Amino acid sequence: MSTEAALRADIVEVGRRMYARGYTASNDGNISARLGQDRLVMTPKSVCKGFMTPDMMCITDLEGRKIHGDRDPSSEMLMHLEVYRHRPDVRAVVHAHPPVATGFAVAGIPLDRAVLAEVLTTLGSVPIAEYATPSTSELPAAVRKYVKAHDGMLLANHGALTLGADLFSAYYKMETIEHFAHISLVARLLGRENLIAREEVVRLQGLRGSYGIKAPAPICADPPAAGDPVRATTDASGDATCQVVQAPEGGGQRLVPDPTRADASRELSDETEIRLTYRELSALIEDAIRSLR
Ligand SMILES: [Zn+2]
């Protein structure tokens, strides 16, 4: 089987899995992969990803001009092109609307807390790209901010986007994000999350090399101080240069109640000592100042 035939068949399979798992409804979602140096294989617009056939795919160049195919390429082609432009290492892009992760994207809650070792080692953190009108050039602009430093992100009020060195690694990152979102949701419904300490986060990051994980950027030092070039988390154009992870300083694991939950304090007595990260403390103080105004 030629490389092109194999890629067409693999995109059909990834689309089938996404639809079977409920990551897309109707004609949602899109998938693409590099074909050689200067071409892409991409899903066409307006088809259900669960019932595609290899002959439906479009072949385009890296500017999005159609080279081959009976159908037009995905309406989110501009977002895919933006990823390939900034990430020469990426060979496949997957976009879907997995419901739990998209719930976090709608609530404006990034998946950036240090709670699962495997997620920290592979994805690092999953930020939220600002809301942008789907299928317009606004969406690539929103994605650009995070794409150099992350292999997965949420799209505010829309869905999720994952990238990989091959098609299945991009797809499996979508599975990981939805699984992570599901676990995070259950932990928050149960009322608490045990955050992994920053020292352990650093240790997990060290494992990336031994597992051959090529993360696009390191986890940010904490706390990232404004104006401190050593700890800056963005470059001059405002694009992320590292992965923001919320993890408490100090040895061992700490119990950090979610300060955003109104009933979090019910489980604590007046004498209970709690520890907050610098970021959480800053957020609490900002909230208090806002409510005084
Ligand atoms: Zn979408």
Side-chain angles (χ1 to χ4, degrees):
M1 194 189 280
S2 70
T3 308
E4 181 180 329
L7 272 180
R8 285 170 179 264
D10 285 349
I11 290 176
V12 167
E13 175 60 16
V14 166
R16 193 191 65 75
R17 293 190 196 187
M18 291 203 315
Y19 188 68
R21 284 179 159 266
Y23 294 180
T24 59
S26 179
N27 296 337
D28 299 343
N30 27 76
I31 306 160
S32 69
R34 284 191 201 264
L35 176 62
Q37 291 302 308
D38 53 6
R39 287 184 297 161
L40 302 173
V41 190
M42 190 175 298
T43 49
K45 64 168 62 158
S46 308
V47 300
C48 176
K49 303 304 166 297
F51 301 93
M52 295 187 294
T53 51
D55 59 293
M56 288 181 176
M57 301 306 149
C58 294
I59 309 291
T60 74
D61 65 15
L62 294 178
E63 302 300 320
R65 287 177 289 251
K66 188 165 83 171
I67 293 170
H68 185 71
D70 297 334
R71 297 162 186 262
D72 287 333
S74 164
S75 55
E76 295 294 11
M77 178 175 67
L78 294 177
M79 176 170 69
H80 290 243
L81 297 175
E82 187 74 15
V83 174
Y84 292 115
R85 204 168 287 137
H86 291 284
R87 292 285 302 275
D89 59 314
V90 162
R91 296 200 63 83
V93 176
V94 171
H95 164 58
H97 307 161
V100 183
T102 304
F104 276 81
V106 169
I109 303 171
L111 291 164
D112 64 354
R113 292 188 182 178
V115 290
L116 289 178
E118 201 166 336
V119 173
L120 288 163
T121 313
T122 54
L123 283 166
S125 71
V126 183
I128 305 182
E130 269 174 36
Y131 178 75
T133 309
S135 81
T136 68
S137 58
E138 287 176 15
L139 193 53
V143 161
R144 192 179 310 141
K145 181 169 186 209
Y146 295 106
V147 78
K148 292 175 209 162
H150 300 83
D151 281 349
M153 69 190 81
L154 303 178
L155 309 175
N157 296 77
H158 182 170
L161 178 71
T162 53
L163 337 168
D166 60 63
L167 185 57
F168 278 94
S169 88
Y171 168 68
Y172 285 133
K173 283 171 195 164
M174 186 64 75
E175 282 195 357
T176 298
I177 287 180
E178 180 64 353
H179 198 228
F180 180 26
H182 214 145
I183 291 166
S184 296
L185 177 66
V186 171
R188 290 176 197 199
L189 288 172
L190 291 170
R192 64 182 64 174
E193 280 173 299
N194 286 323
L195 299 198
I196 294 171
R198 181 146 291 272
E199 292 84 342
E200 177 64 10
V201 169
V202 171
R203 212 170 298 140
L204 290 167
Q205 180 169 231
L207 291 178
R208 284 175 170 177
S210 31
Y211 288 120
I213 295 164
K214 290 191 177 67
I219 290 168
C220 303
D222 191 63
D228 177 354
V230 179
R231 291 187 162 184
T233 59
T234 56
D235 62 17
S237 47
D239 297 342
T241 53
C242 57
Q243 301 170 343
V244 172
V245 168
Q246 298 198 40
E249 296 283 357
Q253 295 195 357
R254 297 271 160 70
L255 182 65
V256 182
D258 183 351
T260 62
R261 276 178 61 92
D263 61 350
S265 60
R266 276 192 221 144
E267 297 157 15
L268 306 170
S269 79
D270 290 349
E271 305 304 318
T272 309
E273 183 194 48
I274 63 163
R275 290 172 191 255
L276 301 176
T277 64
Y278 178 78
R279 191 180 295 108
E280 286 167 334
L281 181 62
S282 304
L284 281 175
I285 293 168
E286 273 170 28
D287 280 348
I289 292 170
R290 221 175 286 129
S291 63
L292 283 173
R293 285 196 185 124

